[in-house]
Amino acid sequence: MNYAGPAEEIPARSGLELTPFRGLRYDPDRVGSLAAVTSPPYDVVVRPDGLLHLESADPYNIVRLILPQAGSPAARNEQAADTLRRWLADGVLAADAEPGLYVYEQADGSILQRGLIGALRLSEPSAGVVLPHEDVIPHVITDRAALLRATATNMEPLLLTYRGDGATAGATAVVERTTERAPLLATTTEDGFSHRLWAVTDPADLAEIQSDLARHQALIADGHHRWATYLRLRTEHPSPSPWDYGLVLLVDTARYPLRVRAIHRLLHQLPLPDALTALHGLFRVRRLDVPLSEALEALADASLTGNAFVLAGDGAFHLVDRPDPDLLARTIPADRPPAWRTLDATVLHATLLDHVWHIPEDSPAHVAYIHDTAATVEKAERDGGTAVLMHPVREEVVRDLARQGVTMPRKSTSFGPKPASGLVLRALEF
């Protein structure tokens, strides 16, 4: 989806500062395959099923670093640090000989995405250089910060977007030229995506990239918690230091538009019959005895005219729409723009979770955020909870709210394709 309007530009030297680094990469001779050691981002892995699948794929799968398993948080972080040190000592992971930026390509039969991986100088949202669009969950930042302290390594690039000027000059032109060469690595993961990586080390190319990006701002597409973690840990280290930068993938969405998908909710302790009973008189509820694909089509149609959700957990689907206007007026904060007040995620969190179902949204014991639609439904049916299926937000709404400095409710969107974890890491001591 292309954005309307011109590319965002801000004064030079106050924009994006992407710097080269010596990437840590797997030695392909030491692992079963590059595909077998990769993982989706930590918050996309569906635990425990997906975690066990990845751990069994290869003894060196990156999930052992990003989602270590032990009896306590401290033990998990110590285990990740020990594992990382062992892999470095054994040569499983090794640093590239010279610093560079990395061109990263993902492709399947329907999408091609290319961008630049580098160490981006950190900035607060008030600077207007890197724009968040979602609220974050404090305990997740605490967890990620402890892991990063223990390992001193950026193990997963955030996904950031900016609007360039096409491929005629600047960063995107360097990206296009670079992909004409043989890549450092190429692999295809089990989801059907091919991944290729190139290093950019030529001083002229690096200068062209950095000069271009200095005129732009970026939107955090995926990785709000990791960005907040970067900012927290920066305050713990005197500047200048490597902690002033964080690992990101920057994609020019004027050239390579991203997909936007929904993130669903699994309400562990709310049985579906109780959820439906509480909605009586407040929303319209219709039972749909149809396959998942048709339920999602009905959700898309209902979302054209207002807030809508699909609930699941009993073997059927239940379309929930047409909220009572008086209920919304009582429960939705009035001090935000209309585009925020009418978001499905706003209605879900402010109206349904808080006022109707009385569920603490920041409690992992009550709410899980799951990207995979079928997995959300299956878990609800298996565990006796309620799946809340969402319809994706339009990309232009996300960017417009971010420009206004208005953050959306947590886990409102899923931009993609997301970079695979494990292809290139950044150790802060290099």
Side-chain angles (χ1 to χ4, degrees):
M1 179 187 304
N2 287 302
Y3 299 115
E8 303 94 341
E9 291 193 5
I10 56 180
R13 295 190 301 277
S14 63
L16 300 168
E17 183 183 326
L18 194 68
T19 64
F21 69 103
R22 291 177 61 200
L24 277 182
R25 296 190 293 112
Y26 281 98
D27 181 343
D29 295 329
R30 300 297 304 272
V31 299
S33 73
L34 290 175
V37 296
T38 64
S39 165
Y42 79 96
D43 58 338
V44 181
V45 176
V46 179
R47 291 173 276 187
D49 300 347
L51 181 65
L52 294 174
H53 173 72
L54 291 165
E55 286 182 332
S56 63
D58 190 283
Y60 299 117
N61 190 283
I62 191 68
V63 78
R64 298 179 186 274
L65 300 182
I66 63 176
L67 287 174
Q69 299 300 295
S72 69
R76 290 195 293 271
N77 297 330
E78 182 178 354
Q79 177 177 295
D82 289 344
T83 300
L84 177 60
R85 283 191 290 267
R86 185 171 67 254
W87 290 359
L88 289 169
D90 293 345
V92 174
L93 288 169
D96 285 335
E98 59 181 319
L101 300 177
Y102 295 85
V103 172
Y104 175 45
E105 176 189 275
Q106 296 164 271
D108 67 1
S110 61
I111 193 168
L112 172 67
Q113 178 173 291
R114 291 170 175 164
L116 285 162
I117 295 176
L120 184 68
R121 179 177 286 279
L122 305 179
S123 61
E124 297 291 340
S126 59
V129 177
V130 176
L131 305 176
H133 72 266
E134 286 185 353
D135 295 333
V136 293
I137 304 171
H139 76 81
V140 176
I141 299 170
T142 299
D143 176 74
R144 291 290 103 185
L147 179 62
L148 182 49
R149 286 190 197 97
T151 59
T153 301
N154 297 153
M155 291 181 282
E156 303 180 276
L158 286 67
L159 176 60
L160 273 61
T161 74
Y162 75 101
R163 274 189 60 84
D165 304 315
T168 57
T172 300
V174 176
V175 168
E176 300 302 310
R177 293 199 302 268
T178 301
T179 58
E180 297 173 359
R181 307 197 311 256
L184 289 175
L185 65 85
T187 191
T188 300
T189 45
E190 64 180 8
D191 59 3
F193 269 92
S194 65
H195 306 261
R196 298 198 295 170
L197 192 76
W198 296 260
V200 179
T201 57
D202 180 81
D205 286 341
L206 293 172
E208 185 173 354
I209 290 169
Q210 291 167 330
S211 175
D212 181 20
L213 294 180
R215 302 181 295 113
H216 294 288
Q217 64 181 184
L219 175 75
I220 300 177
D222 185 70
H224 284 80
H225 290 91
R226 282 167 282 167
W227 183 258
T229 299
Y230 290 167
L231 293 177
R232 176 181 293 186
L233 294 184
R234 180 182 62 168
T235 67
E236 301 176 6
H237 297 83
S239 185
S241 83
W243 298 86
D244 294 336
Y245 298 82
L247 187 64
V248 306
L249 167 64
L250 270 173
V251 175
D252 174 4
T253 52
R255 178 75 172 173
Y256 298 107
L258 272 65
R259 294 171 174 164
V260 187
R261 292 176 172 163
I263 302 176
H264 310 296
R265 275 64 169 164
L266 175 61
L267 309 181
H268 296 294
Q269 301 184 29
L270 180 66
L272 182 59
D274 295 349
L276 295 172
T277 298
L279 296 177
H280 181 71
L282 302 176
F283 286 76
R284 182 176 69 169
V285 180
R286 289 175 286 166
R287 181 184 174 97
L288 304 176
D289 291 301
V290 298
L292 175 58
S293 59
E294 293 184 26
L296 294 177
E297 290 175 4
L299 175 60
D301 291 341
S303 295
L304 294 174
T305 56
N307 301 114
F309 313 90
V310 164
L311 305 190
D314 63 352
F317 299 100
H318 305 266
L319 181 62
V320 176
D321 64 356
R322 296 188 184 178
D324 174 39
D326 291 337
L327 173 67
L328 298 184
R330 294 194 310 270
T331 58
I332 303 296
D335 60 347
R336 301 290 185 93
W340 182 91
R341 296 200 301 270
T342 56
L343 289 170
D344 288 337
T346 298
V347 173
L348 173 61
H349 286 260
T351 303
L352 287 171
L353 293 182
D354 192 8
H355 289 273
V356 177
W357 293 328
H358 306 292
I359 292 176
E361 61 176 309
D362 57 353
S363 169
H366 290 85
V367 183
Y369 299 85
I370 304 178
H371 295 71
D372 186 279
T373 310
T376 311
V377 174
E378 291 166 5
K379 285 181 173 293
E381 292 178 349
R382 183 179 63 204
D383 301 338
T386 294
V388 183
L389 307 184
M390 309 281 289
H391 186 66
V393 182
R394 297 194 319 278
E395 192 169 352
E396 59 267 26
V397 173
V398 176
R399 186 172 289 269
D400 287 345
L401 286 171
R403 286 179 183 149
Q404 298 176 57
V406 178
T407 53
M408 300 165 63
R410 60 197 60 173
K411 300 292 184 181
S412 293
T413 60
S414 176
F415 284 84
K418 304 178 190 304
S421 300
L423 295 179
V424 61
L425 292 68
R426 172 180 175 254
L428 278 77
E429 62 264 29
F430 293 138

